[in-house]
Amino acid sequence: MNPHLSDDQIAEVLIGSATSATQAHLLACAPCRSKLATLRGVMGQFRMDAEEQSRAALRPIAIRHSRSRFKPLYLSLAAAGLAIVGLVVLPKDPPSQSTPLQIDTALLSQVDVQVSRSVPEALEPLSQLVISEGN
Ligand SMILES: [Zn+2]
């Protein structure tokens, strides 16, 4: 019979569920303590490697997410900038030289022309045909 701890007993020590007999053997047995320390070291290194690998694997995703999250903000800022430049730089309608009275007079004369038609505008070609045949 093996005088040292079995793999199952070492595993029980690692997960913190060792019996008092196992713990007593560990206190008295240097080879079993050494085996346990080696296993703890390997598991700790594995945990650090796994954490580093998962951080490295997630880093590009985080960068991609941060870029895609801010892209609409950049687009919005660019659109706002273009709108401001458009308001400042682009020429506005040339200032009207007409006074309101002149505008009103021009509008009324245009209305007079349209109201005083003898034939609606859409029928003018037809009326010209009738007039020319009549002559
Ligand atoms: Zn032992």
Side-chain angles (χ1 to χ4, degrees):
M1 182 177 163
N2 190 348
H4 297 294
L5 295 176
S6 67
D7 290 343
D8 287 345
Q9 288 170 316
I10 294 288
E12 288 171 357
V13 172
L14 286 173
I15 64 173
S17 64
T19 62
S20 57
T22 300
Q23 291 172 348
H25 179 88
L26 268 179
L27 287 175
C29 181
C32 285
R33 281 198 308 272
S34 174
K35 184 177 181 180
L36 182 65
T38 301
L39 276 174
R40 281 185 170 146
V42 168
M43 290 179 68
Q45 186 63 45
F46 175 77
R47 182 178 345 140
M48 286 191 304
D49 288 347
E51 288 172 357
E52 178 57 32
Q53 287 294 320
S54 62
R55 271 196 295 269
L58 292 176
R59 199 170 298 132
I61 294 171
I63 291 171
R64 247 183 283 138
H65 276 285
S66 67
R67 283 184 184 158
S68 66
R69 188 182 327 141
F70 289 111
K71 187 179 262 184
L73 178 62
Y74 289 133
L75 290 177
S76 300
L77 289 175
L82 286 177
I84 291 172
V85 167
L87 287 176
V88 172
V89 172
L90 290 181
K92 298 180 177 103
D93 290 337
S96 177
Q97 301 293 329
S98 306
T99 63
L101 179 61
Q102 289 170 325
I103 293 172
D104 289 345
T105 305
L107 179 62
L108 284 176
S109 63
Q110 186 180 355
V111 169
D112 279 346
V113 167
Q114 290 184 351
V115 168
S116 64
R117 288 177 189 275
S118 58
V119 177
E121 186 178 3
L123 295 178
E124 274 186 3
L126 185 61
S127 69
Q128 287 174 355
L129 273 178
V130 173
I131 292 171
S132 64
E133 282 182 1
N135 288 344

